[in-house]
């Protein structure tokens, strides 16, 4: 009975002190939960802001934008900046001289070379090549002169083939792993007065190294057959066989006629005057916008990632960008004697001079297609138009590498976009290019197989069979870069062998091409070309 009474006794309410403590603890818990939620929200926001950021390094000056600005390639193909910077340290056996040994050009105040852009993307700074890597180089009159940087000229010192080989070799090296690469990044950052954060040290860069190794290994497998072809050497690239990788062409089963198709990087000045001409070495497109977008594939872009505004700035600038004038003395009297020789033998295919791309009105000129030499209306039709390969006789590997099948496949690029490709065509020869800034476009012919303009005026069997490429010291007498030295300033130069597949120096010879002129006439013609 007593137990029943105790069970039914009323529960005593908590004391005022207890209630006060409970309220205070509730407030503390609420405050802690609020702070935790705020912390989580802020952290999530910071993570989103970091990893969702997509900001290129921008330049107000269009020249600087051309040298260092992004085309959008970092989004798809960008290398983590700090990994890129330490790769020559981690894989020094594959690149003993660092990136400069590949012909990259460095300017004071820049950690990256010309032709490498940067973009904040996926939570880190990422870098990749841009247009300038193929279209900027240096020139000097003597070995002791300071190199002059020239925008728009072919990048005759840059070895793209070697750069690709290095990336693939480094990614396959056992040293390319997080416990080697990340500490090297930390050391380099300390040398530059920066600090590698905990998130970067233990998550971001370990993951980046792993992804980069996997991606490069995959690309090495797909591009590998091209690396078995005749080495390109500095200043050259295989333009369209890499495109075939995008369409899953089996490169190891390409016909032999489509392999070994390396060509010189072209100059890119005065694009407005080239509108409507047949572009690329084989004249396979007449739309510069399509050519430019396709060239941007080489900078890592894809249709969803290309930065059309950035490329548009470059396109507008190139419409009127001028080549520099010849920097060494010109014999005016000798050049004057060369002018009528040029008008007779060259103007019909290459234009009146270095600025007027149509031949002079009323002048006669030996044309490219064996048509009536007295029909002046035909001259302009040959500037920027195709000469059949059987007529000009130059190496045809580049022509054959751009197959009909590839032309068809390129028509699917940008499908669904307003700028879908519509103008790629298979052709039958090589386009006759205007000669603006011709002095900086050595070596000559589409595959860069003739070192100087003076050599080009000789029959093929009298042209150098081997010569060195990659020097920036200029031979003003013969119009070309010095090509008899195996190294320059400690950098090994590339021995070009015209007997290898795709490297023939034959063609553009015979009476119509000036190779039968007297030596003094050839000298006068070369002197006149210095005025272009």
């Amino acid at each position: 009975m007593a137990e029943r009474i105790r069970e039914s006794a009323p529960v005593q309410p908590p004391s005022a002190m207890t209630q006060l403590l409970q309220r205070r603890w509730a407030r503390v818990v609420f405050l802690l939960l609020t702070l935790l939620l705020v912390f989580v929200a802020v952290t999530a926001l910071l993570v989103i802001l970091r990893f969702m950021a997509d900001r290129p390094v921008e330049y107000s000056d269009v020249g600087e934008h051309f040298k260092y600005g992004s085309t959008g390639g970092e989004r798809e193909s960008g290398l983590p900046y700090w990994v890129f910077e330490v790769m020559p340290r981690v894989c020094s056996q594959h690149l003993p001289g660092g990136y400069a040994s590949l012909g990259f050009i460095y300017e004071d105040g820049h950690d990256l070379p010309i032709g490498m852009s940067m973009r904040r993307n996926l939570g880190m700074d990422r870098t990749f090549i841009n247009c300038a890597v193929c279209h900027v180089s240096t020139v000097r009159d003597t070995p002791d002169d300071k190199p002059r940087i020239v925008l728009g000229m072919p990048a005759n010192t840059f070895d793209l083939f070697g750069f690709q080989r290095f990336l693939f070799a480094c990614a396959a090296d056992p040293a390319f792993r997080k416990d080697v690469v990340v500490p090297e990044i930390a050391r380099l950052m300390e040398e530059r007065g920066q600090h590698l954060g905990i998130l970067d040290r233990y998550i971001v860069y370990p993951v980046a190294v792993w992804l980069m190794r996997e991606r490069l290994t995959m690309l090495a497998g797909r591009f590998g057959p091209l690396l078995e072809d005749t080495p390109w050497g500095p200043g050259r690239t295989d333009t369209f066989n890499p495109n075939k990788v995008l369409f899953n062409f089996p490169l190891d089963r390409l016909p032999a006629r489509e392999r070994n198709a390396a060509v010189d990087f072209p100059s890119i000045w005065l694009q407005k005057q080239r509108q409507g001409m047949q572009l690329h070495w084989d004249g396979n497109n007449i739309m510069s916008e399509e050519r430019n977008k396709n060239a941007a594939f080489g900078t890592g872009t894809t249709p969803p990632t290309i930065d059309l505004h950035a490329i548009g700035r470059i396109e507008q600038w190139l419409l009127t960008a001028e080549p520099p004038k010849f920097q060494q003395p010109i014999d005016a009297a000798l050049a004057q004697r060369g002018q009528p020789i040029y008008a007779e033998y060259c103007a019909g295919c290459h234009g009146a001079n270095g600025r007027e791309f149509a031949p002079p009105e009323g002048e006669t000129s030996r044309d490219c297609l064996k048509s009536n030499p007295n029909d002046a209306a035909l001259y302009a039709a040959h500037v920027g138009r195709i000469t059949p390969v059987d007529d000009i006789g130059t190496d045809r590997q580049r022509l054959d590498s751009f197959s009909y099948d590839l032309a068809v496949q390129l028509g699917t690029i940008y499908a669904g976009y307003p700028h879908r490709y519509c103008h790629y065509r298979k052709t039958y020869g090589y386009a006759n290019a205007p000669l603006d800034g011709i002095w900086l476009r050595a070596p000559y012919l589409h595959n860069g197989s003739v070192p100087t303009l003076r050599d080009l005026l000789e029959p093929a069997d009298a042209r150098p069979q081997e010569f060195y490429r990659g020097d920036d010291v200029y031979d003003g007498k013969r119009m070309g870069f010095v090509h008899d030295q195996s190294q320059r300033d400690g950098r090994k130069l590339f021995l070009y062998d015209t007997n290898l597949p795709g490297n023939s120096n034959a063609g553009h010879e015979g009476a119509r091409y000036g190779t039968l002129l007297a030596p003094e006439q050839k000298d006068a013609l070369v002197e006149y070309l210095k005025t272009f």
Side-chain angles (χ1 to χ4, degrees), residues 13-251:
S15 66
M17 180 60 69
T18 302
Q19 292 178 0
L20 179 62
L21 290 175
Q22 288 176 342
R23 285 196 296 270
R24 288 182 175 178
W25 275 111
R27 292 193 187 100
V28 170
V29 171
F30 177 77
L31 180 60
L32 289 174
L33 288 174
T34 301
L35 291 174
L36 178 61
L37 290 173
V38 170
F39 173 78
V40 170
V42 170
T43 301
L45 179 61
L46 292 175
V47 169
I48 290 172
L49 290 175
R50 171 169 179 170
F51 289 94
M52 297 299 289
D54 183 30
R55 299 188 307 273
V57 177
E58 297 180 329
Y59 301 87
S60 57
D61 178 78
V62 69
E64 292 298 298
H65 172 66
F66 178 66
K67 288 188 290 183
Y68 298 105
S70 171
T71 63
E74 308 92 344
R75 292 165 171 158
E76 178 71 21
S77 307
L79 310 174
Y81 166 75
W82 289 107
V83 178
F84 171 80
E85 287 287 85
V86 302
M87 285 180 77
R89 298 186 179 195
V90 173
C91 302
S92 58
Q93 71 274 25
H94 300 296
L95 196 66
Y99 291 125
S101 67
L102 295 173
F104 275 112
I105 302 167
Y106 283 86
E107 290 186 290
D108 292 340
H110 291 271
D111 294 325
L112 286 172
I114 291 174
M116 296 292 294
S117 59
M118 186 185 293
R119 177 182 292 265
R120 188 72 175 175
N121 180 260
L122 297 181
M124 68 184 80
D125 292 328
R126 301 177 71 189
T127 183
F128 204 61
I129 59 176
N130 67 10
C131 303
V133 80
C134 299
H135 302 293
V136 172
S137 195
T138 57
V139 61
R140 46 184 161 164
D141 299 325
T142 73
D144 296 327
D145 289 342
K146 181 180 179 180
R148 302 188 299 273
I149 295 172
V150 180
L151 309 189
M153 72 173 285
N156 66 296
T157 67
F158 175 59
D159 187 354
L160 179 59
F161 190 88
F163 182 49
Q164 292 177 350
R165 291 185 73 97
F166 168 67
L167 292 179
F168 295 154
C170 188
D173 195 288
F176 194 74
R177 60 183 192 272
K178 64 179 182 180
D179 53 316
V180 176
V181 175
V182 175
E184 198 63 53
I185 290 174
R187 281 190 287 271
L188 179 59
M189 291 183 73
E190 289 179 5
E191 292 173 11
R192 297 183 180 178
Q194 301 184 48
H195 176 70
L196 184 64
I198 293 176
L199 182 64
D200 288 329
R201 183 186 294 270
Y202 295 106
I203 297 179
V204 173
Y205 282 103
V207 172
V209 169
W210 176 73
L211 290 174
M212 186 173 168
R213 184 178 63 242
E214 295 299 307
R215 181 71 179 271
L216 286 173
T217 301
M218 178 274 291
L219 291 174
R222 301 188 69 182
F223 285 91
L226 291 182
L227 300 182
E228 300 170 6
D229 286 355
T230 300
W232 307 342
R236 300 207 307 165
T237 185
D238 186 331
T239 309
F240 283 102
N241 277 324
N243 277 189
K244 296 174 184 177
V245 174
L246 298 174
F247 300 113
N248 294 314
F249 282 50
L251 296 186

Side-chain angles (χ1 to χ4, degrees), residues 259-298:
R259 301 284 294 269
N260 300 299
V263 294
D264 261 19
F265 297 135
S267 63
I268 53 174
W269 304 296
L270 297 175
Q271 291 300 303
K272 185 175 183 179
Q273 293 164 245
R274 285 174 164 80
Q275 290 182 348
M277 292 185 179
Q278 291 182 268
L279 308 171
H280 284 131
W281 289 109
D282 61 342
N284 61 19
N285 201 312
I286 61 170
M287 292 292 292
S288 60
E289 294 83 1
E290 289 188 12
R291 177 205 58 192
N292 296 342
K293 289 180 177 64
N294 198 66
F297 278 123

Side-chain angles (χ1 to χ4, degrees), residues 409-422:
Q409 291 297 326
L410 283 171
T412 67
I413 296 291
Y414 289 102
Y417 291 81
H419 35 270
R420 179 176 183 171
Y421 294 172
C422 302

